[in-house]
Amino acid sequence: MSAVAVNVEEKLFQNRYRVDAGRPHIQIKDPEICANDCAQKSCTYVCPASCYKAEGNGSVTLITDGCLECGSCRIICSEFTNVNWEYPRGGHGILFKFG
Ligand code: SF4
Ligand code: SF4
């Protein structure tokens, strides 16, 4: 049986996202904890949509546009529980298309 190559970027491109402007459904509770206490900053590695970004000054920024609602960031931040996580309001967020 031959292996079938899957292009993740191509699959993600199939999705559509409706932004809820000004109402991010995930928020970092205390940015100071990210900057001063969390050495690993695992959210910046685990998020498949690259919503979390480690900045040069040690801080972490979060932009939820394109979030896949996988919940990984909430789990990976269990040591600090520094993530407020909700699903987007109805009609917003990710629309999965499998093509
Ligand atoms: S894992 Fe949690 S505490 Fe650490 S940088 Fe990410 S959101 Fe901040
Ligand atoms: S729920 Fe998943 S895709 Fe959304 S920000 Fe968290 S890790 Fe990234």
Side-chain angles (χ1 to χ4, degrees):
M1 196 170 86
S2 63
V4 178
V6 175
N7 185 328
V8 175
E9 298 287 323
E10 211 170 84
K11 291 286 181 195
L12 286 174
F13 188 71
Q14 309 274 349
N15 299 325
R16 293 293 174 266
Y17 193 88
R18 185 157 172 233
V19 175
D20 196 356
R23 294 187 59 155
H25 65 285
I26 306 172
Q27 291 178 306
I28 293 173
K29 293 182 194 170
D30 184 352
E32 294 295 317
I33 290 176
C34 303
N36 301 323
D37 302 329
C38 181
Q40 302 275 348
K41 304 192 193 328
S42 303
C43 57
T44 64
Y45 299 101
V46 79
C47 175
S50 301
C51 293
Y52 292 84
K53 188 171 170 225
E55 305 293 349
N57 62 2
S59 67
V60 171
T61 51
L62 166 62
I63 296 175
T64 56
D65 299 1
C67 167
L68 302 171
E69 299 169 23
C70 68
S72 302
C73 54
R74 182 170 52 173
I75 303 297
I76 207 76
C77 190
S78 57
E79 183 183 352
F80 297 100
T81 58
N82 198 25
V83 171
N84 258 338
W85 200 103
E86 292 179 350
Y87 282 107
R89 290 191 301 160
H92 298 86
I94 192 79
L95 174 64
F96 289 102
K97 292 185 178 179
F98 301 101

